[in-house]
Amino acid sequence: MAISVAGLSKSFSAPILGRRVPVLDCINLEVTEGRIVALFGPNGSGKTTLLNVISGIERAEAGAVSISAEDDHRPVLEYVFQNFRDVLLPWESTLDNMGFGLRARGATRSAARERARCFLDSVGLELPWRNYPYQISVGQQQMVVLARALIQSPSNILLDEPFSALDHEIRFRMQDVVVSTTVAQRLAVLLVSHDIDEALYLGDELILLSKRPGSIVRRFTVPFPRPRTHALLTSTEFSALRREVLSAFLTELRP
Amino acid sequence: MKRHMLIGPAILLLCWITVTSGGIVRPLFLPSPKAVGAALYTLTWSGPLGADVGTTLFRTGVSFAISAVVGLCIGLPLGIWKSVYRSLEIVLDFFRSLPSPAIIPLAMLVLGLGDASRIFVAAFTCSLINAVQTAYAISSIPRHRVLAARLSGAHRFFLVKNVLLPSVMPGVIAGWRITLSLSLIIIVVTEMFIGTRSGLGMRIYDFHLMFRSAEMYSYIIVVGTTGYLLNKGIETAEKRLVHWAGK
């Protein structure tokens, strides 16, 4: 099992209220190699907190998290933050930002650049790679951060709304890059998305979280075989599943 | 330099000429530009101006260099450990609020009338400003930048060299921009009060005592120009060294 979460609960201290506010309530989930699990839920349901706990940035009061890797040579975990603009290093070029993780793990600057260029070529993306992050668009910045994570070929990856700033064309392209990398490199992906179409198109499983404190309301298995194309989004099977997820979501939102 | 940048100085000069040639102000209070120009020429070619500029710049440079190093050494622990900052906050704010001329007599008493006193007063005040700027720069590094770098495998030396130091440099250099000008200001003030035989401040005060207004104005112009050029110099360096500042 690549990512495994068992009985995880977490609360935040709220000095103004004089008590602790529960955020996550008994979360159980598993992501195996080569699969994408999408987390879907309303704002404040603790999706980002869950990723923070899994990555070790935050601690939970109860429960266990385990992350494993089949291949010792690959980084165990990468995390693409929702707050991608803060992640970029403004003094490094776009290309060097993409290669940052490789350099941090011992690669030379030129080797990291070479890998970054190969990555861009292989996915057919055009980025102004000589420019600094403040000289490129917000969408391009998000692509750089996603590329920085994928380039390192991690065993497991946490993606927090990784396509939110991309236009439809680039978004579709990057979604396919994530899927093909997941399959080719047997990546375990835990994806947070606010976009129901995206969650269903990418996911092998969709987990619907409740309002705060977030608990798992329902799990949907996404039955569409891979490789998928974006034409799937217009199919009747997709629409039926989408309706089912949406009605469960709306029921959850009801006061 | 663009042409329209000269409009301001031209207006100032025009006002000066008008006021002095019309006899509105006595030459003792404001000599004519011509008289000041002549004094400036004499002081430069057959007077002490060059040596004075050199002396004041040397004192300013040493004070600034000390304050930059000391500021970093104090500022780093202040920025890294919140508890250190909180423990020293009152002391720091007290000394930062203390006008530097107030410690001139103390410096003279302890360090004597030489350059050590002057440099101490300027370096002391500027060190505190640099320290606070450094601490602030550290505490405002985006949290996710460091978290993401660590998750990507950046540790210790690599993290410090490639993430932390470049992140704090814009804040540190912004502090240097303030303290380089301030070092000059304090050094000029101390030259007026702490016995010395050379320096721009000392000379301004001397000419004032001798009622030699044209020479006094010449030195004021030189001090102003020196301050302006130092500021421009560090601004240029800032643009090159930390081109990403504020972006």
Side-chain angles (χ1 to χ4, degrees), chain A residues 103-120:
Chain A
R103 283 195 289 133
R105 293 200 158 95
T108 61
R109 193 178 281 267
S110 59
R113 280 180 182 168
E114 194 48 43
R115 279 275 294 279
R117 269 198 211 102
C118 285
F119 178 84
L120 285 180

mmCIF file of all heavy atoms in Angstrom, chain A residues 103-120:
data_model
loop_
_atom_site.group_PDB
_atom_site.id
_atom_site.type_symbol
_atom_site.label_atom_id
_atom_site.label_comp_id
_atom_site.label_asym_id
_atom_site.label_seq_id
_atom_site.Cartn_x
_atom_site.Cartn_y
_atom_site.Cartn_z
ATOM 1 N N ARG A 103 18.094 18.974 -7.864
ATOM 2 C CA ARG A 103 19.338 19.523 -7.304
ATOM 3 C C ARG A 103 19.408 19.303 -5.803
ATOM 4 O O ARG A 103 20.455 18.981 -5.254
ATOM 5 C CB ARG A 103 19.450 21.012 -7.616
ATOM 6 C CG ARG A 103 19.884 21.269 -9.060
ATOM 7 C CD ARG A 103 20.318 22.684 -9.228
ATOM 8 N NE ARG A 103 19.199 23.598 -9.174
ATOM 9 C CZ ARG A 103 19.161 24.705 -8.460
ATOM 10 N NH1 ARG A 103 20.196 25.058 -7.732
ATOM 11 N NH2 ARG A 103 18.095 25.470 -8.464
ATOM 12 N N ALA A 104 18.252 19.465 -5.138
ATOM 13 C CA ALA A 104 18.225 19.260 -3.686
ATOM 14 C C ALA A 104 18.594 17.823 -3.344
ATOM 15 O O ALA A 104 19.114 17.537 -2.271
ATOM 16 C CB ALA A 104 16.842 19.600 -3.139
ATOM 17 N N ARG A 105 18.328 16.925 -4.286
ATOM 18 C CA ARG A 105 18.654 15.516 -4.034
ATOM 19 C C ARG A 105 19.978 15.117 -4.679
ATOM 20 O O ARG A 105 20.239 13.963 -4.912
ATOM 21 C CB ARG A 105 17.519 14.626 -4.521
ATOM 22 C CG ARG A 105 16.253 14.823 -3.713
ATOM 23 C CD ARG A 105 15.278 13.672 -3.836
ATOM 24 N NE ARG A 105 14.366 13.651 -2.703
ATOM 25 C CZ ARG A 105 13.163 14.212 -2.702
ATOM 26 N NH1 ARG A 105 12.718 14.802 -3.776
ATOM 27 N NH2 ARG A 105 12.412 14.159 -1.633
ATOM 28 N N GLY A 106 20.786 16.112 -5.017
ATOM 29 C CA GLY A 106 22.168 15.801 -5.391
ATOM 30 C C GLY A 106 22.538 15.990 -6.843
ATOM 31 O O GLY A 106 23.724 15.893 -7.194
ATOM 32 N N ALA A 107 21.562 16.255 -7.742
ATOM 33 C CA ALA A 107 21.913 16.419 -9.158
ATOM 34 C C ALA A 107 22.620 17.761 -9.375
ATOM 35 O O ALA A 107 22.404 18.707 -8.617
ATOM 36 C CB ALA A 107 20.655 16.357 -10.013
ATOM 37 N N THR A 108 23.460 17.834 -10.404
ATOM 38 C CA THR A 108 24.097 19.108 -10.724
ATOM 39 C C THR A 108 23.065 20.007 -11.418
ATOM 40 O O THR A 108 22.037 19.519 -11.904
ATOM 41 C CB THR A 108 25.281 18.926 -11.691
ATOM 42 O OG1 THR A 108 24.757 18.360 -12.900
ATOM 43 C CG2 THR A 108 26.342 18.019 -11.104
ATOM 44 N N ARG A 109 23.390 21.291 -11.467
ATOM 45 C CA ARG A 109 22.460 22.232 -12.090
ATOM 46 C C ARG A 109 22.223 21.879 -13.560
ATOM 47 O O ARG A 109 21.099 21.907 -14.044
ATOM 48 C CB ARG A 109 22.994 23.659 -11.959
ATOM 49 C CG ARG A 109 21.974 24.723 -12.296
ATOM 50 C CD ARG A 109 22.553 26.107 -12.103
ATOM 51 N NE ARG A 109 22.576 26.531 -10.717
ATOM 52 C CZ ARG A 109 21.600 27.236 -10.136
ATOM 53 N NH1 ARG A 109 20.536 27.587 -10.819
ATOM 54 N NH2 ARG A 109 21.700 27.599 -8.875
ATOM 55 N N SER A 110 23.314 21.512 -14.247
ATOM 56 C CA SER A 110 23.155 21.240 -15.685
ATOM 57 C C SER A 110 22.357 19.951 -15.905
ATOM 58 O O SER A 110 21.535 19.879 -16.830
ATOM 59 C CB SER A 110 24.513 21.186 -16.375
ATOM 60 O OG SER A 110 25.296 20.177 -15.792
ATOM 61 N N ALA A 111 22.571 18.959 -15.051
ATOM 62 C CA ALA A 111 21.809 17.711 -15.185
ATOM 63 C C ALA A 111 20.323 17.972 -14.909
ATOM 64 O O ALA A 111 19.447 17.444 -15.610
ATOM 65 C CB ALA A 111 22.346 16.664 -14.220
ATOM 66 N N ALA A 112 20.063 18.804 -13.905
ATOM 67 C CA ALA A 112 18.671 19.125 -13.557
ATOM 68 C C ALA A 112 17.995 19.875 -14.701
ATOM 69 O O ALA A 112 16.833 19.613 -15.038
ATOM 70 C CB ALA A 112 18.635 19.951 -12.276
ATOM 71 N N ARG A 113 18.755 20.786 -15.323
ATOM 72 C CA ARG A 113 18.197 21.538 -16.457
ATOM 73 C C ARG A 113 17.875 20.602 -17.616
ATOM 74 O O ARG A 113 16.844 20.734 -18.268
ATOM 75 C CB ARG A 113 19.205 22.579 -16.940
ATOM 76 C CG ARG A 113 19.202 23.814 -16.088
ATOM 77 C CD ARG A 113 20.208 24.810 -16.603
ATOM 78 N NE ARG A 113 20.225 25.969 -15.736
ATOM 79 C CZ ARG A 113 21.146 26.912 -15.775
ATOM 80 N NH1 ARG A 113 22.131 26.838 -16.647
ATOM 81 N NH2 ARG A 113 21.094 27.935 -14.962
ATOM 82 N N GLU A 114 18.785 19.654 -17.841
ATOM 83 C CA GLU A 114 18.605 18.715 -18.938
ATOM 84 C C GLU A 114 17.330 17.899 -18.720
ATOM 85 O O GLU A 114 16.514 17.728 -19.632
ATOM 86 C CB GLU A 114 19.849 17.797 -18.998
ATOM 87 C CG GLU A 114 19.997 16.987 -20.275
ATOM 88 C CD GLU A 114 19.825 17.814 -21.535
ATOM 89 O OE1 GLU A 114 20.370 18.924 -21.593
ATOM 90 O OE2 GLU A 114 19.112 17.334 -22.449
ATOM 91 N N ARG A 115 17.148 17.434 -17.492
ATOM 92 C CA ARG A 115 15.944 16.649 -17.170
ATOM 93 C C ARG A 115 14.690 17.502 -17.338
ATOM 94 O O ARG A 115 13.659 17.036 -17.850
ATOM 95 C CB ARG A 115 15.999 16.143 -15.708
ATOM 96 C CG ARG A 115 16.849 14.904 -15.513
ATOM 97 C CD ARG A 115 16.082 13.602 -15.796
ATOM 98 N NE ARG A 115 15.004 13.333 -14.872
ATOM 99 C CZ ARG A 115 15.162 12.807 -13.678
ATOM 100 N NH1 ARG A 115 16.369 12.505 -13.244
ATOM 101 N NH2 ARG A 115 14.121 12.573 -12.900
ATOM 102 N N ALA A 116 14.786 18.766 -16.927
ATOM 103 C CA ALA A 116 13.633 19.657 -17.035
ATOM 104 C C ALA A 116 13.280 19.888 -18.511
ATOM 105 O O ALA A 116 12.101 19.856 -18.892
ATOM 106 C CB ALA A 116 13.930 20.985 -16.340
ATOM 107 N N ARG A 117 14.322 20.073 -19.329
ATOM 108 C CA ARG A 117 14.072 20.266 -20.765
ATOM 109 C C ARG A 117 13.449 19.028 -21.385
ATOM 110 O O ARG A 117 12.501 19.109 -22.165
ATOM 111 C CB ARG A 117 15.392 20.589 -21.487
ATOM 112 C CG ARG A 117 15.636 22.070 -21.557
ATOM 113 C CD ARG A 117 16.673 22.409 -22.618
ATOM 114 N NE ARG A 117 17.386 23.588 -22.168
ATOM 115 C CZ ARG A 117 18.584 23.593 -21.624
ATOM 116 N NH1 ARG A 117 19.258 22.467 -21.498
ATOM 117 N NH2 ARG A 117 19.128 24.700 -21.215
ATOM 118 N N CYS A 118 13.979 17.855 -21.014
ATOM 119 C CA CYS A 118 13.439 16.586 -21.531
ATOM 120 C C CYS A 118 11.971 16.439 -21.147
ATOM 121 O O CYS A 118 11.140 16.011 -21.953
ATOM 122 C CB CYS A 118 14.210 15.400 -20.963
ATOM 123 S SG CYS A 118 15.804 15.196 -21.700
ATOM 124 N N PHE A 119 11.670 16.828 -19.901
ATOM 125 C CA PHE A 119 10.291 16.716 -19.427
ATOM 126 C C PHE A 119 9.376 17.586 -20.276
ATOM 127 O O PHE A 119 8.321 17.137 -20.741
ATOM 128 C CB PHE A 119 10.211 17.121 -17.951
ATOM 129 C CG PHE A 119 8.809 17.089 -17.398
ATOM 130 C CD1 PHE A 119 8.257 15.907 -16.933
ATOM 131 C CD2 PHE A 119 8.032 18.243 -17.353
ATOM 132 C CE1 PHE A 119 6.957 15.872 -16.436
ATOM 133 C CE2 PHE A 119 6.731 18.220 -16.866
ATOM 134 C CZ PHE A 119 6.201 17.024 -16.404
ATOM 135 N N LEU A 120 9.812 18.824 -20.509
ATOM 136 C CA LEU A 120 8.995 19.750 -21.310
ATOM 137 C C LEU A 120 8.783 19.188 -22.716
ATOM 138 O O LEU A 120 7.672 19.222 -23.246
ATOM 139 C CB LEU A 120 9.662 21.120 -21.391
ATOM 140 C CG LEU A 120 9.593 21.988 -20.132
ATOM 141 C CD1 LEU A 120 10.305 23.308 -20.367
ATOM 142 C CD2 LEU A 120 8.150 22.260 -19.723
#
